[in-house]
PDB file of all heavy atoms in Angstrom:
ATOM      1  N   GLY A   1     116.642  75.098 127.648  1.00  0.00           N
ATOM      2  CA  GLY A   1     115.900  76.211 128.225  1.00  0.00           C
ATOM      3  C   GLY A   1     116.722  77.479 128.211  1.00  0.00           C
ATOM      4  O   GLY A   1     117.950  77.443 128.334  1.00  0.00           O
ATOM      5  N   LEU A   2     116.053  78.614 128.050  1.00  0.00           N
ATOM      6  CA  LEU A   2     116.700  79.925 128.080  1.00  0.00           C
ATOM      7  C   LEU A   2     115.757  80.887 128.790  1.00  0.00           C
ATOM      8  O   LEU A   2     114.567  80.943 128.471  1.00  0.00           O
ATOM      9  CB  LEU A   2     116.995  80.406 126.655  1.00  0.00           C
ATOM     10  CG  LEU A   2     117.589  81.797 126.509  1.00  0.00           C
ATOM     11  CD1 LEU A   2     118.956  81.889 127.183  1.00  0.00           C
ATOM     12  CD2 LEU A   2     117.713  82.161 125.029  1.00  0.00           C
ATOM     13  N   ALA A   3     116.308  81.616 129.742  1.00  0.00           N
ATOM     14  CA  ALA A   3     115.531  82.628 130.452  1.00  0.00           C
ATOM     15  C   ALA A   3     116.370  83.897 130.515  1.00  0.00           C
ATOM     16  O   ALA A   3     117.583  83.833 130.727  1.00  0.00           O
ATOM     17  CB  ALA A   3     115.186  82.148 131.860  1.00  0.00           C
ATOM     18  N   SER A   4     115.729  85.048 130.315  1.00  0.00           N
ATOM     19  CA  SER A   4     116.474  86.304 130.365  1.00  0.00           C
ATOM     20  C   SER A   4     115.517  87.476 130.511  1.00  0.00           C
ATOM     21  O   SER A   4     114.383  87.427 130.033  1.00  0.00           O
ATOM     22  CB  SER A   4     117.308  86.479 129.088  1.00  0.00           C
ATOM     23  OG  SER A   4     118.024  87.702 129.134  1.00  0.00           O
ATOM     24  N   ASN A   5     116.007  88.523 131.149  1.00  0.00           N
ATOM     25  CA  ASN A   5     115.238  89.761 131.245  1.00  0.00           C
ATOM     26  C   ASN A   5     115.830  90.841 130.335  1.00  0.00           C
ATOM     27  O   ASN A   5     115.555  92.018 130.486  1.00  0.00           O
ATOM     28  CB  ASN A   5     115.149  90.255 132.694  1.00  0.00           C
ATOM     29  CG  ASN A   5     116.515  90.449 133.326  1.00  0.00           C
ATOM     30  OD1 ASN A   5     117.555  90.267 132.686  1.00  0.00           O
ATOM     31  ND2 ASN A   5     116.529  90.808 134.594  1.00  0.00           N
ATOM     32  N   SER A   6     116.647  90.448 129.347  1.00  0.00           N
ATOM     33  CA  SER A   6     117.242  91.405 128.423  1.00  0.00           C
ATOM     34  C   SER A   6     116.242  91.804 127.339  1.00  0.00           C
ATOM     35  O   SER A   6     115.337  91.046 126.991  1.00  0.00           O
ATOM     36  CB  SER A   6     118.486  90.806 127.759  1.00  0.00           C
ATOM     37  OG  SER A   6     118.120  89.780 126.865  1.00  0.00           O
ATOM     38  N   ASN A   7     116.425  92.991 126.799  1.00  0.00           N
ATOM     39  CA  ASN A   7     115.575  93.452 125.704  1.00  0.00           C
ATOM     40  C   ASN A   7     115.749  92.559 124.482  1.00  0.00           C
ATOM     41  O   ASN A   7     114.789  92.276 123.769  1.00  0.00           O
ATOM     42  CB  ASN A   7     115.894  94.906 125.348  1.00  0.00           C
ATOM     43  CG  ASN A   7     115.447  95.855 126.435  1.00  0.00           C
ATOM     44  OD1 ASN A   7     114.493  95.574 127.160  1.00  0.00           O
ATOM     45  ND2 ASN A   7     116.137  96.960 126.570  1.00  0.00           N
ATOM     46  N   TRP A   8     116.990  92.107 124.234  1.00  0.00           N
ATOM     47  CA  TRP A   8     117.277  91.228 123.107  1.00  0.00           C
ATOM     48  C   TRP A   8     116.406  89.969 123.173  1.00  0.00           C
ATOM     49  O   TRP A   8     115.820  89.556 122.183  1.00  0.00           O
ATOM     50  CB  TRP A   8     118.767  90.872 123.141  1.00  0.00           C
ATOM     51  CG  TRP A   8     119.134  89.694 122.304  1.00  0.00           C
ATOM     52  CD1 TRP A   8     119.418  89.692 120.971  1.00  0.00           C
ATOM     53  CD2 TRP A   8     119.263  88.339 122.734  1.00  0.00           C
ATOM     54  NE1 TRP A   8     119.706  88.409 120.550  1.00  0.00           N
ATOM     55  CE2 TRP A   8     119.620  87.556 121.616  1.00  0.00           C
ATOM     56  CE3 TRP A   8     119.111  87.693 123.970  1.00  0.00           C
ATOM     57  CZ2 TRP A   8     119.820  86.191 121.676  1.00  0.00           C
ATOM     58  CZ3 TRP A   8     119.309  86.330 124.030  1.00  0.00           C
ATOM     59  CH2 TRP A   8     119.668  85.601 122.899  1.00  0.00           C
ATOM     60  N   PHE A   9     116.313  89.373 124.358  1.00  0.00           N
ATOM     61  CA  PHE A   9     115.517  88.156 124.527  1.00  0.00           C
ATOM     62  C   PHE A   9     114.041  88.441 124.274  1.00  0.00           C
ATOM     63  O   PHE A   9     113.363  87.678 123.580  1.00  0.00           O
ATOM     64  CB  PHE A   9     115.724  87.586 125.930  1.00  0.00           C
ATOM     65  CG  PHE A   9     114.904  86.355 126.209  1.00  0.00           C
ATOM     66  CD1 PHE A   9     115.283  85.124 125.700  1.00  0.00           C
ATOM     67  CD2 PHE A   9     113.752  86.419 126.973  1.00  0.00           C
ATOM     68  CE1 PHE A   9     114.536  83.979 125.951  1.00  0.00           C
ATOM     69  CE2 PHE A   9     112.997  85.283 127.230  1.00  0.00           C
ATOM     70  CZ  PHE A   9     113.396  84.068 126.710  1.00  0.00           C
ATOM     71  N   LYS A  10     113.546  89.543 124.804  1.00  0.00           N
ATOM     72  CA  LYS A  10     112.130  89.888 124.633  1.00  0.00           C
ATOM     73  C   LYS A  10     111.786  90.079 123.160  1.00  0.00           C
ATOM     74  O   LYS A  10     110.723  89.680 122.701  1.00  0.00           O
ATOM     75  CB  LYS A  10     111.800  91.144 125.434  1.00  0.00           C
ATOM     76  CG  LYS A  10     111.853  90.904 126.930  1.00  0.00           C
ATOM     77  CD  LYS A  10     111.733  92.193 127.714  1.00  0.00           C
ATOM     78  CE  LYS A  10     111.985  91.922 129.183  1.00  0.00           C
ATOM     79  NZ  LYS A  10     112.105  93.128 129.969  1.00  0.00           N
ATOM     80  N   GLU A  11     112.713  90.673 122.390  1.00  0.00           N
ATOM     81  CA  GLU A  11     112.479  90.918 120.962  1.00  0.00           C
ATOM     82  C   GLU A  11     112.569  89.641 120.132  1.00  0.00           C
ATOM     83  O   GLU A  11     111.863  89.480 119.145  1.00  0.00           O
ATOM     84  CB  GLU A  11     113.486  91.932 120.432  1.00  0.00           C
ATOM     85  CG  GLU A  11     113.306  93.326 120.997  1.00  0.00           C
ATOM     86  CD  GLU A  11     114.485  94.241 120.697  1.00  0.00           C
ATOM     87  OE1 GLU A  11     115.382  93.860 119.913  1.00  0.00           O
ATOM     88  OE2 GLU A  11     114.504  95.345 121.259  1.00  0.00           O
ATOM     89  N   LYS A  12     113.462  88.716 120.502  1.00  0.00           N
ATOM     90  CA  LYS A  12     113.741  87.533 119.682  1.00  0.00           C
ATOM     91  C   LYS A  12     113.117  86.245 120.207  1.00  0.00           C
ATOM     92  O   LYS A  12     113.226  85.206 119.566  1.00  0.00           O
ATOM     93  CB  LYS A  12     115.257  87.314 119.567  1.00  0.00           C
ATOM     94  CG  LYS A  12     116.019  88.501 119.051  1.00  0.00           C
ATOM     95  CD  LYS A  12     115.804  88.688 117.584  1.00  0.00           C
ATOM     96  CE  LYS A  12     116.663  89.824 117.060  1.00  0.00           C
ATOM     97  NZ  LYS A  12     116.360  90.177 115.703  1.00  0.00           N
ATOM     98  N   ARG A  13     112.480  86.293 121.336  1.00  0.00           N
ATOM     99  CA  ARG A  13     111.949  85.099 122.001  1.00  0.00           C
ATOM    100  C   ARG A  13     111.144  84.198 121.066  1.00  0.00           C
ATOM    101  O   ARG A  13     111.308  82.991 121.055  1.00  0.00           O
ATOM    102  CB  ARG A  13     111.112  85.554 123.197  1.00  0.00           C
ATOM    103  CG  ARG A  13     110.374  84.466 123.892  1.00  0.00           C
ATOM    104  CD  ARG A  13     109.391  85.039 124.906  1.00  0.00           C
ATOM    105  NE  ARG A  13     108.468  83.992 125.277  1.00  0.00           N
ATOM    106  CZ  ARG A  13     108.523  83.318 126.409  1.00  0.00           C
ATOM    107  NH1 ARG A  13     109.421  83.613 127.305  1.00  0.00           N
ATOM    108  NH2 ARG A  13     107.658  82.364 126.665  1.00  0.00           N
ATOM    109  N   HIS A  14     110.276  84.777 120.287  1.00  0.00           N
ATOM    110  CA  HIS A  14     109.387  84.001 119.401  1.00  0.00           C
ATOM    111  C   HIS A  14     110.144  83.297 118.271  1.00  0.00           C
ATOM    112  O   HIS A  14     109.608  82.390 117.642  1.00  0.00           O
ATOM    113  CB  HIS A  14     108.289  84.907 118.841  1.00  0.00           C
ATOM    114  CG  HIS A  14     108.804  85.973 117.918  1.00  0.00           C
ATOM    115  ND1 HIS A  14     109.483  87.081 118.377  1.00  0.00           N
ATOM    116  CD2 HIS A  14     108.764  86.075 116.570  1.00  0.00           C
ATOM    117  CE1 HIS A  14     109.827  87.831 117.354  1.00  0.00           C
ATOM    118  NE2 HIS A  14     109.405  87.251 116.235  1.00  0.00           N
ATOM    119  N   LEU A  15     111.387  83.683 118.009  1.00  0.00           N
ATOM    120  CA  LEU A  15     112.177  83.077 116.931  1.00  0.00           C
ATOM    121  C   LEU A  15     113.129  81.990 117.423  1.00  0.00           C
ATOM    122  O   LEU A  15     113.705  81.270 116.613  1.00  0.00           O
ATOM    123  CB  LEU A  15     113.023  84.159 116.239  1.00  0.00           C
ATOM    124  CG  LEU A  15     112.268  85.312 115.588  1.00  0.00           C
ATOM    125  CD1 LEU A  15     113.244  86.388 115.133  1.00  0.00           C
ATOM    126  CD2 LEU A  15     111.428  84.803 114.431  1.00  0.00           C
ATOM    127  N   MET A  16     113.306  81.880 118.727  1.00  0.00           N
ATOM    128  CA  MET A  16     114.345  81.013 119.278  1.00  0.00           C
ATOM    129  C   MET A  16     113.988  79.539 119.208  1.00  0.00           C
ATOM    130  O   MET A  16     112.848  79.155 119.422  1.00  0.00           O
ATOM    131  CB  MET A  16     114.631  81.413 120.716  1.00  0.00           C
ATOM    132  CG  MET A  16     115.245  82.769 120.803  1.00  0.00           C
ATOM    133  SD  MET A  16     115.682  83.144 122.491  1.00  0.00           S
ATOM    134  CE  MET A  16     116.347  84.763 122.246  1.00  0.00           C
ATOM    135  N   LYS A  17     115.035  78.748 118.919  1.00  0.00           N
ATOM    136  CA  LYS A  17     114.914  77.299 118.884  1.00  0.00           C
ATOM    137  C   LYS A  17     116.137  76.696 119.559  1.00  0.00           C
ATOM    138  O   LYS A  17     117.138  77.371 119.799  1.00  0.00           O
ATOM    139  CB  LYS A  17     114.837  76.810 117.435  1.00  0.00           C
ATOM    140  CG  LYS A  17     113.551  77.203 116.717  1.00  0.00           C
ATOM    141  CD  LYS A  17     113.441  76.459 115.421  1.00  0.00           C
ATOM    142  CE  LYS A  17     112.179  76.620 114.667  1.00  0.00           C
ATOM    143  NZ  LYS A  17     111.300  77.652 114.837  1.00  0.00           N
ATOM    144  N   MET A  18     116.047  75.420 119.844  1.00  0.00           N
ATOM    145  CA  MET A  18     117.142  74.686 120.457  1.00  0.00           C
ATOM    146  C   MET A  18     118.401  74.811 119.595  1.00  0.00           C
ATOM    147  O   MET A  18     118.318  74.809 118.368  1.00  0.00           O
ATOM    148  CB  MET A  18     116.732  73.215 120.579  1.00  0.00           C
ATOM    149  CG  MET A  18     117.720  72.335 121.282  1.00  0.00           C
ATOM    150  SD  MET A  18     117.155  70.610 121.289  1.00  0.00           S
ATOM    151  CE  MET A  18     115.662  70.728 122.262  1.00  0.00           C
ATOM    152  N   CYS A  19     119.555  74.913 120.235  1.00  0.00           N
ATOM    153  CA  CYS A  19     120.806  74.927 119.489  1.00  0.00           C
ATOM    154  C   CYS A  19     121.772  73.913 120.091  1.00  0.00           C
ATOM    155  O   CYS A  19     121.531  73.368 121.170  1.00  0.00           O
ATOM    156  CB  CYS A  19     121.425  76.316 119.453  1.00  0.00           C
ATOM    157  SG  CYS A  19     122.200  76.878 120.960  1.00  0.00           S
ATOM    158  N   THR A  20     122.827  73.641 119.354  1.00  0.00           N
ATOM    159  CA  THR A  20     123.859  72.706 119.792  1.00  0.00           C
ATOM    160  C   THR A  20     125.075  73.511 120.238  1.00  0.00           C
ATOM    161  O   THR A  20     125.474  74.468 119.558  1.00  0.00           O
ATOM    162  CB  THR A  20     124.267  71.775 118.636  1.00  0.00           C
ATOM    163  OG1 THR A  20     123.110  71.094 118.191  1.00  0.00           O
ATOM    164  CG2 THR A  20     125.300  70.766 119.096  1.00  0.00           C
ATOM    165  N   THR A  21     125.650  73.141 121.365  1.00  0.00           N
ATOM    166  CA  THR A  21     126.840  73.809 121.879  1.00  0.00           C
ATOM    167  C   THR A  21     127.916  72.771 122.137  1.00  0.00           C
ATOM    168  O   THR A  21     127.647  71.742 122.755  1.00  0.00           O
ATOM    169  CB  THR A  21     126.505  74.581 123.177  1.00  0.00           C
ATOM    170  OG1 THR A  21     125.515  75.581 122.868  1.00  0.00           O
ATOM    171  CG2 THR A  21     127.733  75.242 123.765  1.00  0.00           C
ATOM    172  N   ILE A  22     129.114  73.053 121.652  1.00  0.00           N
ATOM    173  CA  ILE A  22     130.278  72.198 121.906  1.00  0.00           C
ATOM    174  C   ILE A  22     131.203  72.973 122.834  1.00  0.00           C
ATOM    175  O   ILE A  22     131.589  74.111 122.533  1.00  0.00           O
ATOM    176  CB  ILE A  22     131.028  71.841 120.603  1.00  0.00           C
ATOM    177  CG1 ILE A  22     130.091  71.225 119.565  1.00  0.00           C
ATOM    178  CG2 ILE A  22     132.231  70.951 120.910  1.00  0.00           C
ATOM    179  CD1 ILE A  22     129.559  69.866 119.906  1.00  0.00           C
ATOM    180  N   ILE A  23     131.552  72.367 123.958  1.00  0.00           N
ATOM    181  CA  ILE A  23     132.455  72.995 124.932  1.00  0.00           C
ATOM    182  C   ILE A  23     133.758  72.218 124.933  1.00  0.00           C
ATOM    183  O   ILE A  23     133.760  70.997 125.062  1.00  0.00           O
ATOM    184  CB  ILE A  23     131.833  73.007 126.341  1.00  0.00           C
ATOM    185  CG1 ILE A  23     130.514  73.794 126.342  1.00  0.00           C
ATOM    186  CG2 ILE A  23     132.820  73.588 127.361  1.00  0.00           C
ATOM    187  CD1 ILE A  23     129.764  73.764 127.655  1.00  0.00           C
ATOM    188  N   SER A  24     134.865  72.940 124.780  1.00  0.00           N
ATOM    189  CA  SER A  24     136.189  72.319 124.854  1.00  0.00           C
ATOM    190  C   SER A  24     137.100  73.199 125.698  1.00  0.00           C
ATOM    191  O   SER A  24     136.832  74.385 125.904  1.00  0.00           O
ATOM    192  CB  SER A  24     136.771  72.114 123.451  1.00  0.00           C
ATOM    193  OG  SER A  24     136.812  73.338 122.752  1.00  0.00           O
ATOM    194  N   THR A  25     138.169  72.603 126.200  1.00  0.00           N
ATOM    195  CA  THR A  25     139.118  73.325 127.043  1.00  0.00           C
ATOM    196  C   THR A  25     140.307  73.763 126.192  1.00  0.00           C
ATOM    197  O   THR A  25     140.817  72.993 125.384  1.00  0.00           O
ATOM    198  CB  THR A  25     139.615  72.415 128.191  1.00  0.00           C
ATOM    199  OG1 THR A  25     138.463  71.964 128.925  1.00  0.00           O
ATOM    200  CG2 THR A  25     140.525  73.157 129.138  1.00  0.00           C
ATOM    201  N   THR A  26     140.739  75.009 126.384  1.00  0.00           N
ATOM    202  CA  THR A  26     141.916  75.512 125.676  1.00  0.00           C
ATOM    203  C   THR A  26     143.182  75.113 126.437  1.00  0.00           C
ATOM    204  O   THR A  26     143.100  74.669 127.591  1.00  0.00           O
ATOM    205  CB  THR A  26     141.884  77.046 125.549  1.00  0.00           C
ATOM    206  OG1 THR A  26     142.013  77.617 126.858  1.00  0.00           O
ATOM    207  CG2 THR A  26     140.589  77.530 124.895  1.00  0.00           C
ATOM    208  N   ALA A  27     144.332  75.311 125.829  1.00  0.00           N
ATOM    209  CA  ALA A  27     145.609  74.997 126.471  1.00  0.00           C
ATOM    210  C   ALA A  27     145.800  75.804 127.753  1.00  0.00           C
ATOM    211  O   ALA A  27     146.456  75.344 128.691  1.00  0.00           O
ATOM    212  CB  ALA A  27     146.763  75.266 125.501  1.00  0.00           C
ATOM    213  N   GLU A  28     145.195  76.988 127.811  1.00  0.00           N
ATOM    214  CA  GLU A  28     145.316  77.858 128.997  1.00  0.00           C
ATOM    215  C   GLU A  28     144.316  77.489 130.092  1.00  0.00           C
ATOM    216  O   GLU A  28     144.317  78.099 131.157  1.00  0.00           O
ATOM    217  CB  GLU A  28     145.108  79.332 128.605  1.00  0.00           C
ATOM    218  CG  GLU A  28     146.128  79.872 127.626  1.00  0.00           C
ATOM    219  CD  GLU A  28     145.846  79.457 126.175  1.00  0.00           C
ATOM    220  OE1 GLU A  28     144.666  79.173 125.831  1.00  0.00           O
ATOM    221  OE2 GLU A  28     146.805  79.402 125.393  1.00  0.00           O
ATOM    222  N   GLY A  29     143.440  76.524 129.826  1.00  0.00           N
ATOM    223  CA  GLY A  29     142.459  76.114 130.826  1.00  0.00           C
ATOM    224  C   GLY A  29     141.159  76.889 130.763  1.00  0.00           C
ATOM    225  O   GLY A  29     140.317  76.774 131.652  1.00  0.00           O
ATOM    226  N   ASN A  30     140.955  77.676 129.709  1.00  0.00           N
ATOM    227  CA  ASN A  30     139.691  78.384 129.520  1.00  0.00           C
ATOM    228  C   ASN A  30     138.737  77.484 128.747  1.00  0.00           C
ATOM    229  O   ASN A  30     139.110  76.396 128.323  1.00  0.00           O
ATOM    230  CB  ASN A  30     139.949  79.692 128.769  1.00  0.00           C
ATOM    231  CG  ASN A  30     140.867  80.616 129.551  1.00  0.00           C
ATOM    232  OD1 ASN A  30     140.714  80.793 130.747  1.00  0.00           O
ATOM    233  ND2 ASN A  30     141.842  81.196 128.864  1.00  0.00           N
ATOM    234  N   LEU A  31     137.508  77.954 128.542  1.00  0.00           N
ATOM    235  CA  LEU A  31     136.536  77.170 127.793  1.00  0.00           C
ATOM    236  C   LEU A  31     136.257  77.818 126.446  1.00  0.00           C
ATOM    237  O   LEU A  31     135.941  79.013 126.369  1.00  0.00           O
ATOM    238  CB  LEU A  31     135.217  77.050 128.562  1.00  0.00           C
ATOM    239  CG  LEU A  31     135.224  76.228 129.844  1.00  0.00           C
ATOM    240  CD1 LEU A  31     133.837  76.216 130.473  1.00  0.00           C
ATOM    241  CD2 LEU A  31     135.706  74.811 129.580  1.00  0.00           C
TER     242      LEU A  31
END
């Protein structure tokens, strides 16, 4: 799911599809 009140979202909403996200931790503890 994606929700937003940004202009970008309003313009691209009809083109959006599910995507894959990989999250990993860096050596500094960031993502």
Side-chain angles (χ1 to χ4, degrees):
L2 176 63
S4 180
N5 56 3
S6 70
N7 290 331
W8 163 85
F9 178 77
K10 291 171 188 171
E11 293 168 9
K12 305 286 184 188
R13 173 190 165 103
H14 66 286
L15 300 172
M16 294 184 180
K17 292 191 174 20
M18 184 183 296
C19 75
T20 302
T21 299
I22 306 292
I23 300 175
S24 56
T25 303
T26 67
E28 298 79 25
N30 298 316
L31 292 180

